Amino acid sequence: MKLDPFYLIVDSAAWIERLVPLGVRLVQLRIKDMDEGGLRAEIRKAKTFCARHDCQLIVNDHWRLAIEEGCDFVHLGQEDMQAADLPAIRKAGIKLGLSTHDHAELQTAMAARPDYVALGPVYPTILKKMKWAPQGLERVRAWKGAVAPTPLVAIGGLNPERLDGIFEAGADSAAVVTDITLSPDPEARTREWIEKTDPWR
């Protein structure tokens, strides 16, 4: 499986409607605190919009809703993976991405035969408090050696200036949240990411 090298992560269908038309081909809807009705509406809206724009939607965490809404890709953190019904996810024909931060988590993830593995944080990140130190490019290289041919997603503290190093170290896709959503001009920043990742397509 080949992932687009630009992996956008946002917390609402509104962000998807705003940025996907610029040429985004891979986006994760990552909503943490919302009631089920609201989540379902957001997933449904995002799915319809992504289908219209030929963009792969990945639903974070909410695998049951993803199954019910006919989505085809889910991303799970390690804790969510322990609680998820992986056979049900597979039976529904849903692809699976898994987060990893250390060797033990990598072993657990690979045993689940994921469609991609994410490693983070590669650089310091402001998105959330992490108990893990920044992984650095050497860890990206080591992870790629361990997971290949499974695609590797790098996440955490990424910006356009750091992308060449990430891809040269072996990452197949670079995930971004705050560099775009906190930018004074998210549209311009999105275009910059698309242009910068284009050689890796």
Side-chain angles (χ1 to χ4, degrees), residues 137-160:
L137 295 180
E138 280 309 310
R139 182 63 71 93
V140 174
R141 257 182 220 101
W143 247 235
K144 183 58 180 177
V147 307
T150 303
L152 177 64
V153 175
I155 185 170
L158 302 189
N159 57 41

Side-chain angles (χ1 to χ4, degrees), residues 23-177:
V24 177
R25 291 286 167 261
L26 180 65
V27 66
Q28 182 188 125
L29 181 63
R30 181 181 183 273
I31 302 174
K32 287 300 178 186
D33 300 308
M34 189 179 282
D35 63 86
E36 187 175 310
L39 276 170
R40 191 183 295 278
E42 286 286 294
I43 290 170
R44 197 170 286 180
K45 196 184 298 183
K47 179 175 179 273
T48 302
F49 197 82
C50 284
R52 196 181 305 147
H53 289 270
D54 193 27
C55 177
Q56 174 64 61
L57 173 67
I58 300 178
V59 176
N60 182 273
D61 290 352
H62 305 290
W63 58 272
R64 285 189 187 87
L65 282 174
I67 291 173
E68 291 169 14
E69 292 301 319
C71 298
D72 60 6
F73 218 134
V74 166
H75 179 93
L76 299 175
Q78 288 278 322
E79 287 178 12
D80 300 297
M81 181 178 67
Q82 304 303 329
D85 186 342
L86 297 184
I89 292 170
R90 290 298 188 195
K91 188 178 176 188
I94 294 179
K95 292 186 174 69
L96 181 65
L98 297 173
S99 294
T100 65
H101 307 88
D102 58 35
H103 287 284
E105 290 189 354
L106 178 60
Q107 204 171 354
T108 302
M110 292 308 288
R113 293 179 293 108
D115 293 280
Y116 74 75
V117 168
L119 170 68
V122 178
Y123 294 100
T125 176
I126 60 170
L127 181 61
K128 54 183 177 179
K129 281 196 160 75
M130 288 278 193
K131 64 180 181 182
W132 296 276
Q135 308 276 2
L137 295 180
E138 280 309 310
R139 182 63 71 93
V140 174
R141 257 182 220 101
W143 247 235
K144 183 58 180 177
V147 307
T150 303
L152 177 64
V153 175
I155 185 170
L158 302 189
N159 57 41
E161 294 71 40
R162 289 171 165 166
L163 291 177
D164 286 345
I166 285 290
F167 291 124
E168 284 159 11
D172 298 282
S173 187
V176 56
V177 186

